[in-house]
Amino acid sequence: MRVSRLFFFRGFFQLLLAFSALVVSCASPPFGIDGPSVGFSVSDDGEPELSFVFENAAGMPVRSFFVEFSLSDCDGVCAFYPLDSASASVECDVPPHSGAIVSVPLSQFLSDFSGVPFSVDFVHVRKIEYDGGNVWRDPFGMGAWEAGF
C-alpha cells in the first residue's frame, strides 16, 4: 500500500513538472507578429492576401513556418465558413533577431473576395522550422496573435 501511494505521488509530480515545462516553453515564443492585415497584393493580379511582419526572436535563421489564421467580415462572420480558420505553410528566410514582411495568398481560401473588408481575428504560428533542422511547435496557441475585442 505504501509503495503504490509513493508511486502515485511520484508519477503525479513528474506529470506536473512536465506540464509546467510545456507551459513555460510556450509562454515566450521565439517569434513575434506585428500588424496583420488583409488587402490586395501589389502585383498586377491584385490577389487578396494576409500580410504581417514575422519577427524571428531566436538565434537561428527561420527556413519556414506553418500558420493558422481566421478572418471575419464587418458583421463578424468568419470568412472561411463552414470552417473556423485556414492554414498555410510559408517558405521564408528570416535571419536571427530580425523581421520580414510575410504575405499569404487568400484566393485558395476565399471563393468571393469582391472587395469586402475583412479583419484578422487571430494568427497562430503552429510550427517553425529553422536552418539545421531544429523545429519549434506550439500546438495549443500559447503564442497566437489575437485581435482585441
Side-chain angles (χ1 to χ4, degrees):
M1 181 75 160
R2 179 172 240 145
V3 173
S4 63
R5 191 179 268 176
L6 179 64
F7 180 75
F8 171 77
F9 284 118
R10 183 177 177 200
F12 178 75
F13 179 72
Q14 287 176 337
L15 182 64
L16 185 63
L17 185 63
F19 180 73
S20 63
L22 175 67
V23 169
V24 168
S25 69
C26 289
S28 57
F31 70 93
I33 294 174
D34 190 27
S37 63
V38 177
F40 290 98
S41 64
V42 293
S43 63
D44 293 335
D45 58 6
E47 287 282 321
E49 64 183 15
L50 168 69
S51 298
F52 56 92
V53 175
F54 178 86
E55 298 171 357
N56 179 8
M60 300 172 282
V62 171
R63 180 178 52 197
S64 66
F65 61 90
F66 185 80
V67 63
E68 182 178 359
F69 53 93
S70 179
L71 310 175
S72 60
D73 64 14
C74 58
D75 296 326
V77 177
C78 181
F80 310 118
Y81 182 81
L83 302 175
D84 290 338
S85 62
S87 58
S89 181
V90 178
E91 301 292 324
C92 60
D93 292 316
V94 184
H97 307 291
S98 64
I101 298 173
V102 175
S103 296
V104 178
L106 296 175
S107 57
Q108 62 183 333
F109 306 112
L110 300 173
S111 59
D112 179 30
F113 196 71
S114 66
V116 175
F118 287 100
S119 60
V120 181
D121 293 336
F122 77 90
V123 178
H124 172 200
V125 176
R126 286 191 171 273
K127 179 173 88 169
I128 300 174
E129 294 180 357
Y130 297 96
D131 281 349
N134 291 337
V135 176
W136 177 87
R137 298 180 198 288
D138 179 10
F140 304 112
M142 300 296 282
W145 180 95
E146 293 188 54
F149 292 104

